Amino acid sequence: IFFRADPVMSSKPTVDVGFVVVEMAKTGQSRCRKCADPIPKGELRVGLEAWISGRKAVTWQHPPCFLQGLRFAAATTGRSKCKATGDLMPKGAARLGLTSHTTTHWVGLEALPAVLEKISTGLHSPLALEEVEGFATLAPPEQQRVRDLCPAGPAAPRAAVKAQPHDDLKTAPEAAPAPVPIRTTKRPKSDAGPEKEGTPKKPRVATARGALVAQ
């Protein structure tokens, strides 16, 4: 006999972290939305869904730029929803904001472990939550709740997570330049034709009108 939990009766919310993407850049055409520098092909990047020119798109950032956009804050109203679960967050509840371009996605503490796990796993580095902007402004019970939900070992500071230098990227060897064809220019032939060696020149005498005529 197999038992299956009823999703309607389950009190644990469904967490969807698909709005966060951590991957290696597939091309070198994307630019960081924070510093505006290009992201070379093969370099690690973090993407977030955002609205640009009236359409939904994925905006990319360098890992350090993305981490600088994280911040804790209390919900100012009771109408905001968690991006990962879709649940309403009560006024004053602690939440984490993920910012890219002009869009900020707010995540409640219930979805915080899943979101941070995806980010830290993709960046191959743990996150120091106490160094995130706004953590000190949370009430002590909320701070302790964050620590309990996301127990971390030796967490590295945000400054330790850096994008790979462009020189360290493995690039294909440049192909040898194609040889430049050598063009041979022919000297134009004179209308009179070349003079033959050994042919004596005829002397010229002046006529009555002053013109020179060969004899």
Side-chain angles (χ1 to χ4, degrees), residues 50-63:
W51 287 95
I52 301 179
S53 300
R55 63 183 181 89
K56 185 181 293 186
V58 177
T59 57
W60 301 102
Q61 297 181 82
H62 295 109

Side-chain angles (χ1 to χ4, degrees), residues 21 27-28 31 54 65 80 91 109 115 128 133 141 176 188 205 211:
V21 182
T27 65
R31 285 184 176 271
C65 296
S80 60
K91 181 179 180 179
L109 296 187
V115 174
E133 179 184 353
V205 296

Side-chain angles (χ1 to χ4, degrees), residues 2 16 24 35 64 73 92 105 110 118 144-145 150 157 166 206 208 213:
F2 296 93
D16 183 9
M24 309 299 285
C35 67
H105 296 307
E110 293 78 10
K118 183 173 185 178
Q144 187 59 41
R145 188 183 177 193
C150 306
H166 301 175
V213 180

Side-chain angles (χ1 to χ4, degrees), residues 76-97:
T76 56
T77 65
R79 298 187 300 269
S80 60
K81 291 184 178 181
C82 174
K83 180 65 177 179
T85 63
D87 296 338
L88 290 172
M89 292 180 287
K91 181 179 180 179
R95 57 183 182 173
L96 177 67

Side-chain angles (χ1 to χ4, degrees), residues 26-204:
K26 300 177 182 178
T27 65
Q29 300 177 356
S30 60
R31 285 184 176 271
C32 177
R33 281 289 173 175
K34 186 174 181 64
C35 67
D37 289 341
I39 304 177
K41 181 180 179 180
E43 186 172 315
L44 198 63
R45 63 182 182 178
V46 183
L48 284 179
E49 293 181 354
W51 287 95
I52 301 179
S53 300
R55 63 183 181 89
K56 185 181 293 186
V58 177
T59 57
W60 301 102
Q61 297 181 82
H62 295 109
C65 296
F66 169 77
L67 295 178
Q68 291 174 7
L70 298 178
R71 72 178 188 272
F72 282 105
T76 56
T77 65
R79 298 187 300 269
S80 60
K81 291 184 178 181
C82 174
K83 180 65 177 179
T85 63
D87 296 338
L88 290 172
M89 292 180 287
K91 181 179 180 179
R95 57 183 182 173
L96 177 67
L98 295 77
T99 302
S100 178
H101 193 47
T102 58
T103 302
T104 300
H105 296 307
W106 293 102
V107 177
L109 296 187
E110 293 78 10
L112 189 60
V115 174
L116 294 182
E117 180 182 2
K118 183 173 185 178
I119 297 173
S120 60
T121 302
L123 299 182
H124 307 289
S125 177
L127 303 179
L129 296 179
E130 296 184 357
E131 295 186 6
V132 175
E133 179 184 353
F135 181 85
T137 62
L138 299 178
E142 298 289 351
Q143 294 181 3
Q144 187 59 41
R145 188 183 177 193
V146 172
R147 297 188 186 98
D148 295 339
L149 289 173
C150 306
R158 290 189 297 167
V161 183
K162 298 181 179 180
Q164 298 178 355
H166 301 175
D167 297 339
D168 295 341
L169 299 178
K170 295 181 179 180
T171 56
E174 297 182 358
V180 180
I182 301 176
R183 297 181 179 180
T184 57
T185 56
K186 298 181 179 181
R187 298 178 61 183
K189 296 182 179 180
S190 175
D191 296 338
E195 296 182 12
K196 295 181 180 181
E197 296 182 358
T199 303
K201 296 182 179 180
K202 297 181 180 181
R204 298 181 179 183

